[in-house]
mmCIF file of all heavy atoms in Angstrom:
data_model
loop_
_atom_site.group_PDB
_atom_site.id
_atom_site.type_symbol
_atom_site.label_atom_id
_atom_site.label_comp_id
_atom_site.label_asym_id
_atom_site.label_seq_id
_atom_site.Cartn_x
_atom_site.Cartn_y
_atom_site.Cartn_z
ATOM 1 N N SER A 519 -62.378 101.647 -168.217
ATOM 2 C CA SER A 519 -61.311 100.985 -167.468
ATOM 3 C C SER A 519 -60.871 101.821 -166.272
ATOM 4 O O SER A 519 -60.364 101.293 -165.288
ATOM 5 C CB SER A 519 -60.129 100.691 -168.387
ATOM 6 O OG SER A 519 -59.661 101.914 -168.916
ATOM 7 N N SER A 522 -61.225 100.991 -162.320
ATOM 8 C CA SER A 522 -60.422 100.167 -161.412
ATOM 9 C C SER A 522 -59.841 101.000 -160.268
ATOM 10 O O SER A 522 -59.449 100.468 -159.245
ATOM 11 C CB SER A 522 -59.308 99.463 -162.188
ATOM 12 O OG SER A 522 -58.567 100.428 -162.886
ATOM 13 N N ASN A 540 -65.344 92.680 -168.014
ATOM 14 C CA ASN A 540 -63.918 92.371 -167.851
ATOM 15 C C ASN A 540 -63.664 91.690 -166.498
ATOM 16 O O ASN A 540 -63.814 92.296 -165.441
ATOM 17 C CB ASN A 540 -63.165 93.705 -167.968
ATOM 18 C CG ASN A 540 -61.676 93.553 -167.846
ATOM 19 O OD1 ASN A 540 -61.185 92.604 -167.243
ATOM 20 N ND2 ASN A 540 -60.955 94.503 -168.424
ATOM 21 N N SER A 542 -60.993 90.755 -164.866
ATOM 22 C CA SER A 542 -59.994 91.270 -163.923
ATOM 23 C C SER A 542 -60.461 92.585 -163.317
ATOM 24 O O SER A 542 -60.189 92.871 -162.152
ATOM 25 C CB SER A 542 -58.629 91.428 -164.603
ATOM 26 O OG SER A 542 -58.767 92.238 -165.749
ATOM 27 N N LEU A 543 -61.244 93.358 -164.091
ATOM 28 C CA LEU A 543 -61.812 94.589 -163.532
ATOM 29 C C LEU A 543 -62.832 94.243 -162.440
ATOM 30 O O LEU A 543 -62.808 94.821 -161.350
ATOM 31 C CB LEU A 543 -62.469 95.410 -164.657
ATOM 32 C CG LEU A 543 -63.073 96.742 -164.261
ATOM 33 C CD1 LEU A 543 -62.033 97.639 -163.605
ATOM 34 C CD2 LEU A 543 -63.656 97.461 -165.477
HETATM 35 C C1 NAG B 7 -59.610 94.505 -168.192
HETATM 36 O O1 NAG B 7 -59.339 95.344 -167.108
HETATM 37 C C2 NAG B 7 -57.981 95.440 -166.767
HETATM 38 C C3 NAG B 7 -57.859 96.211 -165.478
HETATM 39 O O2 NAG B 7 -58.646 97.353 -165.525
HETATM 40 C C4 NAG B 7 -57.244 96.086 -167.933
HETATM 41 O O3 NAG B 7 -55.862 96.200 -167.635
HETATM 42 C C5 NAG B 7 -57.470 95.266 -169.175
HETATM 43 O O4 NAG B 7 -56.881 95.921 -170.290
HETATM 44 C C6 NAG B 7 -58.913 95.046 -169.436
HETATM 45 N N1 NAG B 7 -59.093 94.092 -170.530
HETATM 46 C C7 NAG B 7 -59.858 94.355 -171.578
HETATM 47 C C8 NAG B 7 -59.953 93.247 -172.576
HETATM 48 O O5 NAG B 7 -60.448 95.399 -171.706
#
Side-chain angles (χ1 to χ4, degrees):
S519 60
S522 55
N540 181 335
S542 55
L543 182 57

